[in-house]
């Protein structure tokens, strides 16, 4: 493919304090973009990171045709840069796009643009256990028209942000019993921008009560536990890991499927099935709920120390040999090229 490249005159990397990064607020020197017009994707380009200009009537502002992905790049001790299962992100962004009636982005464009961009900004990928480069591919509708219909113009972009740990503090959640994240037949399985916008208000209410996330339940009866904020969620009841099955309400998380495969490979019993609110509360009361943790690209694994439901509060025990710490270290070691990758998950940026 033809890829037009415009390099920055002077890097801004010397202005960045990599020891004090706020997640997603600092961006690298370059960005990738490609426009969809006249029924096809145009010549992709990489150019200096900069602001964009849109007409006020651009459809993304009015009808929310916007999907995105979250990925990370890691640098090992030999200065080699690695991605983690990028094929899954490439497939999922097109799956999300299809649900919002947006055109699929060509796989070769995606990988050529992604790898070239990371190579150009490889100095921004810092070594170290908590350091990585967060990568945000996204697609928005750009046609200048306020008619309520799908756009005929789109922009695909990739921007990158150096980051450290996502959740630095303790995480407690509240089980949703009023608001919902997604419904049957909706767009819950897609990484649609509006899914996250709809979650912010309930999350703000939870924060006022001292909780960092909402653990979403099914929209019909709030009977089954599904996702935790921006993450898939796992429950360890005795020595069994439970997690909800994917559906048209639940995101098919890359970290989620990796945890399931890794745990099963290590002989940990995993049950992928609907998980009832009452089941987890009962397990907590009996002392059988050993762990809860969220799973996602940003945090990898984030232990959940407690939860609340309809005013009733529960704290989880602190255990030394947690599944969360074992699985997180094992997966991050694979991501950072510190351990054997028997699953073929690593992708080297060459």
């Amino acid at each position: 493919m033809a890829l037009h490249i415009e390099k920055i005159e002077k890097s801004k990397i010397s202005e960045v304090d990599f020891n004090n990064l706020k997640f997603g607020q600092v961006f690298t020197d370059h960005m990738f973009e490609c426009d969809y017009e006249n029924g096809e994707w145009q010549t992709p380009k990489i150019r200096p990171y900069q602001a964009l200009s849109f007409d006020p009537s651009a459809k993304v502002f009015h009808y929310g045709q916007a999907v995105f992905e979250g990925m990370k790049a890691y640098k090992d001790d030999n200065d080699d840069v690695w991605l983690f299962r990028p094929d899954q992100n490439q497939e999922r962004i097109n799956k999300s796009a299809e649900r919002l009636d947006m055109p699929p982005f060509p796989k070769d464009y995606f990988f050529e643009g992604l790898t070239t961009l990371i190579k150009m900004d490889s100095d921004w990928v810092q070594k170290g256990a908590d350091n990585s480069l967060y990568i945000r591919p996204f697609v928005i509708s750009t046609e200048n028209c306020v008619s309520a219909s799908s756009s005929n113009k789109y922009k695909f972009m990739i921007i990158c942000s150096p980051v450290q740990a996502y959740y630095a503090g303790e995480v407690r959640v509240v089980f949703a019993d009023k608001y919902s994240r997604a419904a049957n037949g909706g767009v819950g399985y897609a990484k649609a921008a509006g899914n996250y916008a709809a979650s912010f208000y309930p999350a703000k209410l939870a924060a006022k009560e001292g909780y960092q996330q909402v653990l979403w339940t099914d929209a019909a009866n709030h009977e089954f536990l599904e996702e935790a904020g921006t993450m898939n969620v796992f429950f360890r009841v005795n020595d069994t890991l439970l997690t909800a099955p994917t559906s048209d309400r639940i995101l098919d998380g890359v970290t989620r499927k990796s945890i399931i495969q890794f745990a099963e490979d290590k002989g940990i019993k995993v049950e992928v099935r609907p998980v009832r609110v009452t089941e987890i509360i009962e397990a907590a009361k009996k002392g059988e709920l050993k762990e809860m943790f969220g799973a996602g690209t940003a945090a990898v694994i984030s232990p959940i120390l407690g939860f609340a439901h309809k005013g009733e509060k529960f704290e989880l025990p602190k255990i030394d040999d947690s599944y969360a710490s074992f699985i997180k270290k094992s997966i991050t070691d694979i991501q950072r090229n510190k351990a054997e990758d028997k699953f073929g998950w690593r992708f080297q940026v060459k």
Side-chain angles (χ1 to χ4, degrees), residues 183-298:
N184 290 337
V187 297
Y189 70 87
K191 283 189 77 72
N195 289 350
Y196 297 81
S199 74
F200 293 157
Y201 178 66
K204 183 175 75 171
L205 297 180
K208 289 181 178 179
E209 299 296 323
Y211 299 96
Q212 286 69 45
Q213 291 279 1
V214 175
L215 205 166
W216 299 106
T217 51
D218 66 288
N221 301 304
H222 300 291
E223 182 180 358
F224 296 98
L225 295 159
E226 299 193 332
E227 289 191 359
T230 56
M231 305 178 289
N232 295 112
V233 66
F234 287 80
F235 309 89
R236 177 185 173 184
V237 177
N238 292 320
D239 290 331
T240 300
L241 273 183
L242 309 178
T243 194
T246 55
S247 66
D248 54 12
R249 300 188 309 275
I250 297 177
L251 186 72
D252 186 13
V254 177
T255 306
R256 171 192 176 276
K257 66 178 68 176
S258 303
I259 290 171
I260 293 170
Q261 187 175 350
F262 176 83
E264 290 177 338
D265 181 73
K266 293 298 181 182
I268 297 171
K269 185 179 179 182
V270 181
E271 293 183 6
V272 180
R273 60 170 175 79
V275 181
R276 292 181 182 273
V277 171
T278 53
E279 174 185 3
I280 296 305
I281 290 175
E282 191 65 25
K285 289 179 176 179
K286 291 180 178 179
E288 296 175 350
L289 181 63
K290 306 300 184 184
E291 298 178 65
M292 291 171 55
F293 55 87
T297 297

Side-chain angles (χ1 to χ4, degrees), residues 70-341:
M71 311 168 63
K72 278 185 175 179
Y74 308 88
K75 182 172 284 185
D76 66 19
D77 293 337
N78 298 318
D79 287 328
D80 291 325
V81 177
W82 302 86
L83 297 169
F84 184 70
R85 309 189 74 177
D87 57 314
Q88 300 294 309
N89 300 97
Q90 185 273 326
E91 291 174 7
R92 192 171 63 183
I93 197 168
N94 281 344
K95 184 178 179 182
S96 297
E98 180 182 31
R99 180 61 182 84
L100 271 69
D101 197 28
M102 305 167 82
F105 193 65
K107 184 176 182 178
D108 57 338
Y109 279 31
F110 181 92
F111 276 96
E112 182 71 18
L114 175 65
T115 55
T116 304
L117 178 63
I118 294 172
K119 283 187 288 186
M120 289 175 63
D121 285 347
S122 61
D123 288 345
W124 292 79
V125 190
Q126 298 285 294
K127 296 179 184 177
D130 290 326
N131 295 321
S132 60
L133 186 71
Y134 186 78
I135 303 162
R136 172 53 60 88
F138 63 99
V139 194
I140 57 173
S141 55
T142 55
E143 179 189 358
N144 300 334
C145 180
V146 294
S147 66
S149 59
S150 298
S151 177
N152 59 30
K153 293 183 179 180
Y154 298 90
K155 183 180 286 289
F156 181 100
M157 297 195 68
I158 303 174
I159 57 176
C160 303
S161 174
V163 296
Q164 295 176 305
Y166 189 62
Y167 292 113
E170 296 183 344
V171 176
R172 288 174 175 80
V173 301
V174 59
F175 290 0
D177 60 9
K178 178 181 179 181
Y179 296 100
S180 301
R181 176 189 175 274
N184 290 337
V187 297
Y189 70 87
K191 283 189 77 72
N195 289 350
Y196 297 81
S199 74
F200 293 157
Y201 178 66
K204 183 175 75 171
L205 297 180
K208 289 181 178 179
E209 299 296 323
Y211 299 96
Q212 286 69 45
Q213 291 279 1
V214 175
L215 205 166
W216 299 106
T217 51
D218 66 288
N221 301 304
H222 300 291
E223 182 180 358
F224 296 98
L225 295 159
E226 299 193 332
E227 289 191 359
T230 56
M231 305 178 289
N232 295 112
V233 66
F234 287 80
F235 309 89
R236 177 185 173 184
V237 177
N238 292 320
D239 290 331
T240 300
L241 273 183
L242 309 178
T243 194
T246 55
S247 66
D248 54 12
R249 300 188 309 275
I250 297 177
L251 186 72
D252 186 13
V254 177
T255 306
R256 171 192 176 276
K257 66 178 68 176
S258 303
I259 290 171
I260 293 170
Q261 187 175 350
F262 176 83
E264 290 177 338
D265 181 73
K266 293 298 181 182
I268 297 171
K269 185 179 179 182
V270 181
E271 293 183 6
V272 180
R273 60 170 175 79
V275 181
R276 292 181 182 273
V277 171
T278 53
E279 174 185 3
I280 296 305
I281 290 175
E282 191 65 25
K285 289 179 176 179
K286 291 180 178 179
E288 296 175 350
L289 181 63
K290 306 300 184 184
E291 298 178 65
M292 291 171 55
F293 55 87
T297 297
V300 183
I301 288 178
S302 182
I304 297 170
L305 303 184
F307 68 93
H309 179 251
K310 294 185 176 180
E312 194 172 11
K313 298 181 180 181
F314 300 87
E315 286 290 305
L316 273 67
K318 294 185 178 180
I319 53 179
D320 295 328
D321 57 340
S322 71
Y323 284 178
S325 59
F326 168 63
I327 296 173
K328 180 174 183 177
K329 183 181 186 305
S330 300
I331 288 181
T332 54
D333 281 351
I334 292 173
Q335 290 173 332
R336 298 176 181 279
N337 195 29
K338 292 181 177 292
E340 178 192 2
D341 178 19

